[in-house]
Amino acid sequence: GRLQQGFQDRVDAEEKIEPRDWMPDGYRRTLVRQISQHAHSEIVGMLPEGNWITRAPTLRRKVALLAKVQDEGGHGLYLYSAAETLGVSRDELIGQLLSGKAKYSSIFNYPTPTWADIGAIGWLVDGAAIMNQVPLCRCSYGPYARAMVRICREESFHQRQGYELMLALAQGTPEQKRMAQDALNRWWWPSLMMFGPSDEQSAHSSQNMAWKIKRFSNDELRQRFVDATVPQAEFLGLSIPDPDLRFNADTGHYEFGAIDWTEFNEILKGNGPCNRERIEARRKAWDDGAWVREAAVAHAAKRKQRALKKAG
Amino acid sequence: GRLQQGFQDRVDAEEKIEPRDWMPDGYRRTLVRQISQHAHSEIVGMLPEGNWITRAPTLRRKVALLAKVQDEGGHGLYLYSAAETLGVSRDELIGQLLSGKAKYSSIFNYPTPTWADIGAIGWLVDGAAIMNQVPLCRCSYGPYARAMVRICREESFHQRQGYELMLALAQGTPEQKRMAQDALNRWWWPSLMMFGPSDEQSAHSSQNMAWKIKRFSNDELRQRFVDATVPQAEFLGLSIPDPDLRFNADTGHYEFGAIDWTEFNEILKGNGPCNRERIEARRKAWDDGAWVREAAVAHAAKRKQRALKKAG
Amino acid sequence: MSTDLHREALFGFTLRLGDTSLVLGHRLSEWCGHAPELEEDIALTNVALDLVGHARMLLTYAGELEGKGRDEDRLAYRRDVFDYRNHLLAEQPNRDFGHTIVRQFLHDAWALELYERLCASTDATLAGIAAKAVKEVRYHVRHSGDWLVRLGDGTDASHAKVADALGRLWPYTGEMFERDEAEQALVAAGIVPDPAELKAAWAARVEAVLEEATLERPADGWMQKGGRRGEHSEHLGYLLAEMQFLPRAYPDATW
Amino acid sequence: MSTDLHREALFGFTLRLGDTSLVLGHRLSEWCGHAPELEEDIALTNVALDLVGHARMLLTYAGELEGKGRDEDRLAYRRDVFDYRNHLLAEQPNRDFGHTIVRQFLHDAWALELYERLCASTDATLAGIAAKAVKEVRYHVRHSGDWLVRLGDGTDASHAKVADALGRLWPYTGEMFERDEAEQALVAAGIVPDPAELKAAWAARVEAVLEEATLERPADGWMQKGGRRGEHSEHLGYLLAEMQFLPRAYPDATW
């Protein structure tokens, strides 16, 4: 239709689509799904890192970790707000998360058994997230793009902080270095899987490209991540757990081994090490907090009534 | 009356009163109160020591502590059984504990913030308990006296174990010795208060003496405890926190400072450091366990019905 | 710093304040990711962050006053329960959100009155720390006070919960106004505020909010004490075991 | 002990069994004083006591096999999570009594079948440990099995609770029958039992009790693993921080 064409022309011209503009239903649906999934990931992502706040090894690290996890909560807020501009409430979205209907990033279904995991998450998981998210700063949907600008700025700070944490471990005692290597071993492949299935397998992609919600393919972004990260690991003196990893001087890229998607698929199905616990933690927080939210509503109503009485 | 006289004659002759024998109502009431209070003390007493099971510093100590706390549960069982012979059910008694109607020993309203408290409880609290309890092995009421025989045997093992634990600390590093002294400082006066108010203040005493439920006065038992314990502290190289403490060569007894009953009375009123937490812990265990007890009853009923069906 | 005696007393005072900030910050940080709503996840984490920040300044200064080369981390991570000097109030477990809010408000109201006065301390370092902290604490007390009003004057259920928490926690407020002899000398020297005046100001602030929250001020009965001299509840040991694990397990590491 | 290779493999096997006993004993010991009835306070504490006892024998033997002078306490108190080798099942938190019983029964049934076979191990020390342990484990499996029947065939509420726990914990049973290459050599040498046969015997035992408990055996789907190679859940770190506090805080002390 004409609306459709006008919409696509604006997208093609790199104009931003705003909440009151007409947009195709599929575009709206895709954005709601993607933005809320991203918001949920920030919220669930507070758990694995939050797991080390009470055990951070110095007060400086503790403050930094508190600030980081707080930032993630903030990202969740921006993103829920961006999703709300598309006509869906935060409570509805949270309901979908808690019922298991909505997804969040599978990476947060891995546990953080050691302090080095905090470094690995910052370095690798935030690193991979940034690769995915920087292009979203130019997403065709205005509120999402603007939220991503703020988020990416903070994420890249987190990523540097995570790398610095790994560096301290890698340059530390042999036990600390071992802890760092162990974390890299566990997080490397899951980080590569964060970019999603390889292009041949990936659904939605071409339409999302046309809508400028997505700008690069999964495999492209994954390759960028590998190219950026391998030299960082070398600088740390840690080994990437991939015997097939090698630099191809012709292409200028690192070639890496085949990804084993079995585990990834199991996690998607809910069988990851922490799927159940993550959702249960969120549900418990929500359920335990019900009386608090109800009290806040009741109090606001009382205040309003009192104000009306006074005014009347 | 004649029954009354016959009863008192048997008591005077050091005969044991048994459950089916006639006894005065006051005797029965006093015993129920005392035995159940003692049972409750065993059960509540599992909490301050149980607090260190997961943190015992060696596996040997952990096993010993587990066994000790298990023994206390066993003592609770014997004592509830002894009370039941007087015609009151365990559930009723537990109900009185949980409602706050029944008392337990105030000593368990103090916290165990350090490992040395486990030693101090064994050495001082069990030591004081034994002073109180050994005469009860000759109590006129048979089931109580017999329960006390078993209990005293185990308690004196616990007391030696506690002393040995203190000895290891007192002979350990300066930090360990400090920990031991700190625990002695905190437990000394409360242990002296375990014997109850001084004889002038003490209610019930003379009737209980006549009934041979009680054989020595509070002050007599307290003095025995001090006389036994001060040399033990000296052997440990620890100082009793009482500037007025001195040996009287004429009497052969240690004289000690005046007891400040203010704190004791506050604890009796429910204001001790842990009163609220102890009862809440017991209540929570009871409430959380309701579905389990109900299931056990339901299952037993099902089994019975099935057996009847088969038999029929 | 006029005398060595003052220095030692000030070490004690600063350590108590630093430990209280650290332990209370720890308790709040346990909420992170588990709060009743996202805004509170952020707000409680933020207050925790501020409190740990205050602890860092205070423990650093305490270490300097002590003069034995202990820095903030040495003090935070290498002392066992009987060397911790925090108020018992701070180590009380979170229980529910209402309990956390009551604990926090009782503390925040005290901290605000304290830091406001410490800004005028004759000890320049303490005055400087207070000047930084007071700005944040102003926000804290507004946050916890607003919630106390919401919960107290919310539903019957929320009123009952915070009323219970208030009764439970009130006996822990006495410690805030205890001063030993050494600290009395600091009062005389204008280094720390007079506890009686502090208590009056705190009580006025607390009563005003309780009234708005339709909560009754509990009577000042028997007060729990011991934290200031290292006699703690059974909760602190678990908190420290968790907090201190890494530096204890890897004593030679830097992080 | 025929070869150095066997010795190393047997160290791994013994350590895994010792760690599993210790961690599960720790979890049970958390119930002490908090059980649904006094008899269970005593019974759970008793099982905990036995399991820590088994851990002591096993860790002592593991230390001897390793030959680096580590005794039971060194092994128990001075290893961090990634050096712990317990089954993930053992470290799962208690949640409720039903969950504890399911966890315990799944383990006990395995332990009984294992120790019965280990009594005939060609390794005399292991056979001796097993001979002691098996008597106690016979009681454990009766205790947890009886409770599973009571709860499964009790009320609707209790049935639902243990059915949920069973579904939740079943994926952790796969680890019990994992054997790495080194352990396969131990099987061949008659030192440890064949895992396939062990699994069949375990499954038969479990199924019989589940049937009596009117519970359905979950399907063998995706199995959680990692504990045997030091990859643990987030729970173990807290457990160890608590357990190891004293030896870590006072490294020079003997107790």
Side-chain angles (χ1 to χ4, degrees):
Chain A
R2 256 198 26 230
L3 281 167
Q4 188 94 31
Q5 190 53 50
F7 171 83
Q8 191 61 49
D9 289 346
R10 291 183 59 199
V11 168
D12 291 344
E14 298 284 343
E15 277 178 45
K16 289 283 174 265
I17 307 300
E18 295 300 333
R20 296 180 188 192
D21 296 342
W22 183 90
M23 62 188 83
D25 280 354
Y27 178 82
R28 187 184 297 271
R29 268 200 312 276
T30 299
L31 277 171
V32 167
R33 192 180 59 235
Q34 178 168 333
I35 299 173
S36 65
Q37 201 164 312
H38 188 167
H40 299 330
S41 301
E42 296 283 358
I43 303 312
V44 176
M46 294 170 81
L47 298 171
E49 289 180 279
N51 184 41
W52 280 92
I53 288 175
T54 57
R55 294 178 291 172
T58 69
L59 296 184
R60 183 175 76 88
R61 293 283 182 203
K62 190 187 288 283
V63 164
L65 184 55
L66 277 162
K68 183 184 173 186
V69 181
Q70 193 194 12
D71 283 348
E72 282 159 9
H75 298 173
L77 271 190
Y78 310 155
L79 288 162
Y80 283 127
S81 299
E84 287 186 311
T85 64
L86 292 158
V88 54
S89 76
R90 200 212 294 183
D91 278 10
E92 195 178 328
L93 295 174
I94 288 178
Q96 291 172 1
L97 171 67
L98 301 186
S99 74
K101 197 188 150 203
K103 295 264 174 279
Y104 56 88
S105 178
S106 277
I107 195 82
F108 299 119
N109 289 319
Y110 289 94
T112 53
T114 82
W115 170 248
D117 294 325
I118 300 308
I121 288 180
W123 172 36
L124 300 174
V125 176
D126 292 346
I130 291 168
M131 287 290 169
N132 272 328
Q133 290 168 8
V134 164
L136 289 172
C137 297
R138 295 188 291 129
C139 169
S140 58
Y141 188 60
Y144 190 26
R146 289 187 291 273
M148 290 317 299
V149 171
R150 275 180 84 169
I151 291 173
C152 280
R153 199 168 42 219
E154 292 179 0
E155 289 285 13
S156 72
F157 177 70
H158 297 162
Q159 202 259 351
R160 280 197 305 278
Q161 212 170 42
Y163 187 71
E164 190 263 324
L165 198 165
M166 286 302 268
L167 190 62
L169 296 177
Q171 295 179 340
T173 65
E175 288 165 309
Q176 286 176 296
K177 184 163 181 180
R178 190 184 145 210
M179 200 185 271
Q181 180 65 55
D182 167 71
L184 173 54
N185 293 347
R186 285 181 291 107
W187 290 94
W188 175 253
W189 290 105
S191 299
L192 294 195
M193 295 181 203
M194 281 178 72
F195 297 93
S198 70
D199 297 344
E200 303 98 73
Q201 254 84 63
S202 179
H204 314 299
S205 267
S206 57
Q207 179 60 80
N208 288 355
M209 294 263 194
W211 279 336
K212 301 207 170 167
I213 294 174
K214 199 174 170 74
R215 293 191 180 251
F216 302 96
S217 80
N218 294 351
D219 285 336
E220 269 177 290
L221 291 168
R222 184 161 23 236
Q223 185 64 53
R224 276 194 206 181
F225 174 73
V226 172
D227 289 342
T229 309
V230 173
Q232 293 171 346
E234 277 167 11
F235 184 80
L236 293 173
L238 301 177
S239 323
I240 303 276
D242 177 358
D244 296 327
L245 186 79
R246 53 183 54 83
F247 186 68
N248 182 329
D250 295 338
T251 61
H253 292 299
Y254 284 90
E255 291 168 0
F256 51 94
I259 294 173
D260 173 6
W261 292 99
T262 329
E263 188 177 278
F264 182 79
N265 290 327
E266 285 298 332
I267 293 182
L268 274 186
K269 279 194 267 170
N271 292 328
C274 302
N275 294 54
R276 196 155 180 171
E277 286 174 14
R278 297 292 185 237
I279 283 296
E280 282 179 350
R282 292 306 315 159
R283 257 186 229 147
K284 184 171 189 311
W286 188 252
D287 295 345
D288 287 357
W291 71 273
V292 176
R293 296 189 303 274
E294 282 159 20
V297 170
H299 178 73
K302 281 185 186 175
R303 277 189 101 91
K304 202 171 158 184
Q305 196 141 24
R306 282 197 287 256
L308 281 172
K309 230 177 190 169
K310 233 181 194 168
Chain B
R2 253 194 35 225
L3 281 168
Q4 188 95 28
Q5 190 53 52
F7 171 83
Q8 190 62 49
D9 289 345
R10 291 185 58 198
V11 168
D12 291 343
E14 299 284 342
E15 278 178 44
K16 289 283 174 263
I17 307 300
E18 295 299 334
R20 296 175 188 199
D21 297 340
W22 184 90
M23 59 189 85
D25 280 353
Y27 179 83
R28 187 185 296 272
R29 266 201 313 277
T30 299
L31 278 171
V32 168
R33 192 181 58 235
Q34 179 166 333
I35 299 174
S36 65
Q37 200 164 313
H38 189 167
H40 299 329
S41 301
E42 296 283 357
I43 302 312
V44 176
M46 294 171 79
L47 298 172
E49 290 179 279
N51 184 41
W52 280 92
I53 288 175
T54 58
R55 293 178 292 172
T58 69
L59 295 184
R60 182 175 78 87
R61 294 280 182 204
K62 191 188 289 283
V63 164
L65 184 54
L66 278 162
K68 182 183 174 186
V69 181
Q70 194 194 9
D71 282 349
E72 283 159 8
H75 298 175
L77 271 189
Y78 312 155
L79 288 162
Y80 283 125
S81 299
E84 286 185 314
T85 64
L86 292 159
V88 53
S89 76
R90 201 214 292 183
D91 278 9
E92 196 177 328
L93 296 174
I94 287 178
Q96 290 171 1
L97 171 67
L98 301 187
S99 74
K101 196 187 152 203
K103 296 264 174 278
Y104 55 88
S105 176
S106 276
I107 194 82
F108 299 120
N109 290 319
Y110 289 93
T112 53
T114 82
W115 170 248
D117 295 325
I118 300 307
I121 288 180
W123 171 37
L124 301 174
V125 176
D126 291 346
I130 291 167
M131 287 291 167
N132 272 328
Q133 290 167 9
V134 164
L136 290 172
C137 297
R138 297 188 289 129
C139 169
S140 59
Y141 187 59
Y144 189 26
R146 289 189 290 273
M148 290 318 299
V149 171
R150 274 180 85 170
I151 290 174
C152 281
R153 199 169 41 220
E154 292 180 0
E155 289 285 12
S156 72
F157 176 71
H158 296 162
Q159 202 259 348
R160 281 198 303 279
Q161 212 171 42
Y163 187 70
E164 190 263 323
L165 198 165
M166 286 302 268
L167 190 61
L169 295 177
Q171 296 179 338
T173 65
E175 287 165 309
Q176 285 176 297
K177 183 161 182 182
R178 189 185 144 207
M179 201 186 270
Q181 180 65 55
D182 167 72
L184 173 55
N185 293 348
R186 285 181 290 107
W187 290 95
W188 174 253
W189 291 104
S191 299
L192 295 196
M193 296 181 203
M194 280 178 72
F195 296 93
S198 70
D199 297 345
E200 303 98 72
Q201 253 83 64
S202 181
H204 315 297
S205 268
S206 56
Q207 178 60 81
N208 290 352
M209 294 261 193
W211 279 336
K212 302 210 171 166
I213 294 174
K214 200 175 171 72
R215 291 189 182 255
F216 302 97
S217 80
N218 294 351
D219 286 335
E220 270 177 288
L221 291 168
R222 184 164 19 238
Q223 184 65 54
R224 277 194 203 180
F225 174 73
V226 171
D227 290 342
T229 309
V230 172
Q232 293 171 347
E234 277 167 11
F235 183 80
L236 291 174
L238 300 178
S239 324
I240 303 274
D242 177 358
D244 297 326
L245 186 79
R246 54 183 54 82
F247 186 68
N248 182 330
D250 294 337
T251 61
H253 292 299
Y254 284 90
E255 291 168 0
F256 51 95
I259 293 174
D260 173 7
W261 292 99
T262 329
E263 189 178 277
F264 182 78
N265 289 327
E266 285 297 331
I267 293 184
L268 274 185
K269 279 195 265 168
N271 291 328
C274 302
N275 294 54
R276 196 156 179 168
E277 286 174 14
R278 298 290 185 239
I279 282 297
E280 281 180 350
R282 292 307 315 158
R283 254 185 231 148
K284 184 172 189 309
W286 188 252
D287 294 344
D288 287 357
W291 71 273
V292 176
R293 296 190 303 275
E294 282 158 22
V297 169
H299 178 72
K302 281 184 188 178
R303 279 189 99 93
K304 202 172 161 185
Q305 194 141 24
R306 280 196 289 254
L308 281 173
K309 232 179 189 167
K310 233 181 194 167
Chain C
M1 189 56 42
S2 51
T3 68
D4 276 1
L5 218 67
H6 279 172
R7 175 178 279 267
E8 206 187 308
L10 190 50
F11 166 68
F13 176 85
T14 309
L15 191 70
R16 286 176 181 123
L17 190 53
D19 285 351
T20 298
S21 305
L22 180 58
V23 169
L24 189 62
H26 184 105
R27 280 288 181 236
L28 280 183
S29 79
E30 292 173 346
W31 275 103
C32 185
H34 308 282
E37 56 186 34
L38 187 47
E39 283 78 0
E40 280 314 296
D41 263 323
I42 295 171
L44 293 177
T45 306
N46 189 52
V47 179
L49 204 160
D50 289 344
L51 286 170
V52 178
H54 302 167
R56 294 184 66 189
M57 294 190 288
L58 291 160
L59 294 180
T60 298
Y61 186 39
E64 286 165 19
L65 288 163
E66 188 193 34
K68 291 183 182 165
R70 294 204 280 183
D71 63 10
E72 57 178 60
D73 288 327
R74 187 88 206 167
L75 284 169
Y77 289 98
R78 305 295 179 101
R79 284 178 300 146
D80 199 352
V81 277
F82 40 42
D83 286 322
Y84 257 75
R85 293 287 178 267
N86 60 282
H87 294 159
L88 295 174
L89 180 69
E91 72 200 52
Q92 297 304 305
N94 289 334
R95 300 184 192 273
D96 62 26
F97 182 75
H99 189 273
T100 295
I101 287 297
V102 172
R103 184 186 64 201
Q104 195 60 36
F105 175 69
L106 294 173
H107 170 88
D108 289 341
W110 172 79
L112 179 56
E113 296 296 342
L114 175 69
Y115 282 125
E116 275 184 349
R117 284 164 181 75
L118 283 178
C119 288
S121 170
T122 55
D123 184 82
T125 312
L126 203 53
I129 293 173
K132 280 187 205 154
V134 77
K135 287 179 220 144
E136 294 167 347
V137 173
R138 242 174 237 133
Y139 160 75
H140 300 173
V141 78
R142 205 179 318 134
H143 173 259
S144 57
D146 285 354
W147 267 110
L148 188 53
V149 170
R150 256 177 235 127
L151 299 176
D153 187 25
T155 62
D156 289 350
S158 70
H159 182 89
K161 271 178 200 278
V162 288
D164 178 72
L166 191 63
R168 178 191 285 272
L169 292 171
W170 195 263
Y172 294 99
T173 58
E175 262 197 322
M176 296 172 168
F177 309 103
E178 269 182 51
R179 292 284 179 272
D180 59 22
E181 221 174 296
E183 285 166 323
Q184 284 298 354
L186 297 179
V187 174
I191 297 173
V192 309
D194 176 60
E197 193 227 319
L198 187 64
K199 179 162 184 185
W202 171 82
R205 184 176 285 280
V206 167
E207 281 160 21
V209 173
L210 289 183
E211 198 191 324
E212 211 191 330
T214 71
L215 290 163
E216 225 171 299
R217 180 196 149 141
D220 280 344
W222 177 260
M223 289 287 172
Q224 301 294 344
K225 53 194 166 185
R228 284 169 44 86
R229 56 174 191 268
E231 293 182 13
H232 291 280
S233 72
E234 289 170 0
H235 304 294
L236 187 62
Y238 292 96
L239 186 155
L240 294 182
E242 192 175 316
M243 184 205 281
Q244 300 178 338
F245 177 75
L246 283 173
R248 300 269 198 203
Y250 302 94
D252 305 324
T254 52
W255 303 94
Chain D
M1 189 57 43
S2 52
T3 70
D4 276 1
L5 218 65
H6 280 173
R7 175 178 278 267
E8 205 186 309
L10 189 50
F11 166 68
F13 176 86
T14 310
L15 190 69
R16 286 177 182 122
L17 190 52
D19 286 351
T20 299
S21 306
L22 179 58
V23 170
L24 189 61
H26 183 105
R27 280 286 182 237
L28 281 182
S29 78
E30 292 172 347
W31 274 104
C32 185
H34 308 282
E37 56 187 34
L38 187 47
E39 283 78 359
E40 280 314 297
D41 263 324
I42 296 171
L44 293 178
T45 305
N46 189 51
V47 179
L49 206 160
D50 289 344
L51 286 170
V52 178
H54 303 169
R56 293 184 67 188
M57 296 190 286
L58 290 161
L59 293 181
T60 298
Y61 187 39
E64 286 166 19
L65 288 163
E66 189 194 34
K68 290 182 182 166
R70 294 202 281 183
D71 63 9
E72 57 179 60
D73 288 328
R74 187 87 205 168
L75 283 168
Y77 288 98
R78 304 294 179 103
R79 284 177 298 145
D80 198 354
V81 277
F82 41 43
D83 286 322
Y84 257 75
R85 293 286 179 266
N86 61 282
H87 294 158
L88 296 174
L89 180 69
E91 72 198 52
Q92 297 304 304
N94 288 334
R95 300 183 192 274
D96 62 27
F97 182 76
H99 189 272
T100 295
I101 287 297
V102 172
R103 185 186 64 202
Q104 195 60 34
F105 175 68
L106 294 173
H107 170 88
D108 289 341
W110 171 80
L112 179 56
E113 297 296 341
L114 175 69
Y115 283 124
E116 275 183 350
R117 285 163 181 75
L118 283 178
C119 288
S121 171
T122 56
D123 184 83
T125 312
L126 204 54
I129 293 172
K132 280 186 206 154
V134 77
K135 289 179 221 143
E136 295 168 347
V137 173
R138 240 174 240 134
Y139 160 76
H140 301 172
V141 77
R142 203 176 321 132
H143 174 259
S144 57
D146 285 354
W147 267 110
L148 189 53
V149 171
R150 254 175 237 130
L151 298 176
D153 188 25
T155 63
D156 289 351
S158 70
H159 182 90
K161 270 178 201 279
V162 287
D164 177 72
L166 191 63
R168 178 191 285 272
L169 292 171
W170 195 262
Y172 294 98
T173 59
E175 263 196 323
M176 296 172 167
F177 310 103
E178 269 183 51
R179 290 285 179 270
D180 61 21
E181 223 173 294
E183 284 167 324
Q184 284 299 352
L186 297 179
V187 174
I191 297 173
V192 309
D194 176 59
E197 192 226 320
L198 187 64
K199 180 165 184 180
W202 170 82
R205 184 176 285 280
V206 167
E207 281 160 20
V209 173
L210 289 183
E211 200 190 323
E212 210 190 330
T214 71
L215 290 163
E216 225 171 298
R217 179 197 150 140
D220 281 345
W222 176 260
M223 289 287 174
Q224 301 294 346
K225 52 193 166 187
R228 284 169 43 85
R229 55 173 192 271
E231 293 182 11
H232 290 280
S233 72
E234 288 169 0
H235 305 294
L236 187 62
Y238 292 97
L239 186 154
L240 295 182
E242 193 174 316
M243 184 205 282
Q244 300 178 338
F245 177 75
L246 284 173
R248 301 270 197 201
Y250 302 93
D252 305 325
T254 52
W255 303 93

